C-alpha cells in the first residue's frame, strides 16, 4: 500500500465508516492508558493469533488515535494489550466477514451489514439524530395542522420523531452488543479467568452505555425539534386564519 493509499484509508476510518469506536472512544482510550494485567496481555496475544488464523488482517503498527478499531477485514490494535477491547473488534470482524453457521450468526451478520452501510459510528452521531430531527419537525408540523383542523393527532405521528431516530440507530446498538458478546466468548475460550472476565464485562458495558445514552439524547433532540416545529406551524396557521377572518 502506497503512503497516499494509506492516508486515504485512515481518512476513511476517521470519517466514521468504522465499527467499534466513535462516542465510546474516550472510555476505551482511558482504559488503554492503564497497564493491562499480565493475563490480559497473554489473552490479547492469543486473540491476535486467532484473528489472523480466521483470515482477518491484524495491524499492530498503525495508531488511529481512537484505540482499537475494525474496518474492511482489518483490525487496528493501536498497540493495545487489553484483551477486552481487542476481543470486541474481533467480534465485529467475525460478523462482518465470517460465514453464517447459526441463527445467531445470521442475526449478527444482518445488523452489522446494516450498521456498516449506514456509516458505522456515524450512524450514532450523525445519521440517527438527523433522521430523528427531520421526522420530529414533520411530526410537529402535522400535529399543529391536525389541531387547527379540530382533529386528533394519531399516536403514530406523535411518536414518529424519536422512533425514527431509534430505528436508524438500532442496528448500531445491536451490532455493538453482539460484537461484545462474541468477543467475551472468545476470551473465555482462550482461558481468561473469572476475574478478568468480570472486569472485561464491566469495561465493555461502560463503552456500550455511551451508545445507549446517545440514543436517549437523540430522542430528546427529536422531541425538541418537534416542539419548535409545532409552535412555528401553529403560529403560522393562526396568522393565516386571522387574515381570512379580516377579509
Amino acid at each position: 500500500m502506497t503512503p497516499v493509499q494509506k492516508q486515504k484509508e485512515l481518512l476513511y476510518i476517521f470519517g466514521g465508516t468504522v465499527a467499534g469506536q466513535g462516542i465510546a472512544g474516550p472510555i476505551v482510550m482511558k482504559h488503554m492508558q492503564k497497564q493491562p494485567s499480565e493475563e490480559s496481555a497473554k489473552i490479547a496475544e492469543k486473540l491476535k493469533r486467532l484473528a489472523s488464523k480466521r483470515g482477518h488482517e491484524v495491524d499492530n503498527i498503525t495508531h488511529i488515535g481512537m484505540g482499537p478499531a475494525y474496518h474492511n477485514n482489518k483490525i487496528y490494535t493501536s498497540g493495545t494489550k487489553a484483551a477486552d477491547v481487542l476481543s470486541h473488534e474481533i467480534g465485529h470482524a467475525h460478523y462482518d466477514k465470517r460465514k453464517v453457521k447459526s441463527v445467531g450468526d445470521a442475526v449478527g451478520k444482518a445488523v452489522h451489514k446494516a450498521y456498516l452501510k449506514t456509516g458505522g459510528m456515524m450512524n450514532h452521531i450523525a445519521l440517527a439524530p438527523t433522521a430523528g430531527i427531520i421526522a420530529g419537525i414533520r411530526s410537529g408540523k402535522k400535529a399543529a395542522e391536525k389541531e387547527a383542523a379540530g382533529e386528533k393527532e394519531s399516536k403514530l405521528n406523535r411518536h414518529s420523531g424519536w422512533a425514527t431516530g431509534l430505528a436508524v440507530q438500532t442496528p448500531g446498538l445491536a451490532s455493538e452488543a453482539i460484537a461484545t458478546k462474541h468477543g467475551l466468548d472468545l476470551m473465555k475460550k482462550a482461558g481468561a479467568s473469572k476475574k478478568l472476565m468480570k472486569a472485561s464485562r464491566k469495561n465493555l458495558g461502560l463503552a456500550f452505555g455511551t451508545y445507549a445514552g446517545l440514543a436517549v439524547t437523540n430522542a430528546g433532540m427529536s422531541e425538541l425539534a418537534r416542539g419548535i416545529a409545532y409552535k412555528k406551524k401553529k403560529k403560522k396557521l393562526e396568522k393565516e386564519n386571522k387574515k381570512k377572518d379580516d377579509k
Side-chain angles (χ1 to χ4, degrees):
M1 182 181 289
T2 66
V4 173
Q5 289 175 322
K6 188 69 175 178
Q7 184 179 32
K8 286 183 177 179
E9 182 178 28
L10 293 178
L11 286 172
Y12 191 60
I13 291 172
F14 279 119
T17 46
V18 57
Q21 283 300 326
I23 200 70
I27 289 179
V28 172
M29 291 301 292
K30 184 178 180 180
H31 175 58
M32 285 178 61
Q33 288 171 2
K34 298 178 182 178
Q35 185 66 27
S37 66
E38 184 178 340
E39 181 193 5
S40 180
K42 286 182 178 179
I43 296 297
E45 288 305 314
K46 285 185 178 181
L47 293 177
K48 289 177 187 178
R49 291 195 293 271
L50 174 63
S52 294
K53 287 181 180 179
R54 286 185 167 189
H56 309 308
E57 185 179 350
V58 179
D59 185 334
N60 290 308
I61 300 174
T62 305
H63 288 257
I64 64 174
M66 301 183 296
Y70 169 75
H71 170 66
N72 197 24
N73 205 33
K74 182 183 288 189
I75 297 166
Y76 293 87
T77 72
S78 282
T80 187
K81 293 183 180 179
D84 48 10
V85 290
L86 181 60
S87 75
H88 177 83
E89 302 310 329
I90 296 175
H92 282 304
H94 170 78
Y95 289 111
D96 183 36
K97 294 298 181 180
R98 298 275 285 178
K99 291 182 179 180
V100 173
K101 293 184 178 181
S102 66
V103 174
D105 279 353
V107 172
K109 199 169 186 66
V111 296
H112 268 78
K113 185 177 181 180
Y115 182 37
L116 294 172
K117 276 194 172 183
T118 54
M121 77 159 184
M122 296 303 287
N123 174 288
H124 301 282
I125 62 177
L127 188 59
T130 299
I133 289 172
I134 291 173
I137 291 172
R138 188 185 301 117
S139 173
K141 288 180 177 179
K142 192 169 184 179
E145 290 170 352
K146 287 287 184 180
E147 184 179 298
E151 300 175 4
K152 187 177 180 180
E153 179 187 14
S154 68
K155 289 184 178 180
L156 178 62
N157 184 71
R158 173 62 189 86
H159 303 292
S160 63
W162 66 265
T164 297
L166 181 60
V168 172
Q169 195 173 354
T170 294
L173 294 172
S175 66
E176 294 297 337
I178 291 173
T180 286
K181 183 182 183 305
H182 184 77
L184 289 172
D185 287 343
L186 291 180
M187 284 184 63
K188 189 174 182 180
K189 290 178 181 178
S193 66
K194 290 183 178 180
K195 182 180 179 180
L196 179 58
M197 291 299 296
K198 182 178 179 180
S200 297
R201 289 191 188 94
K202 180 180 179 181
N203 179 59
L204 294 176
L206 287 172
F208 178 78
T210 63
Y211 291 105
L214 193 58
V216 174
T217 300
N218 290 342
M221 290 172 63
S222 177
E223 285 294 286
L224 178 63
R226 171 187 153 87
I228 293 173
Y230 166 79
K231 290 179 180 179
K232 285 187 175 181
K233 186 64 175 180
K234 183 178 180 179
K235 188 175 182 180
K236 182 180 179 181
L237 290 173
E238 287 175 346
K239 285 184 177 180
E240 290 176 352
N241 289 330
K242 187 178 180 180
K243 287 182 179 180
K244 289 180 181 179
D245 293 339
D246 291 339
K247 287 183 178 180

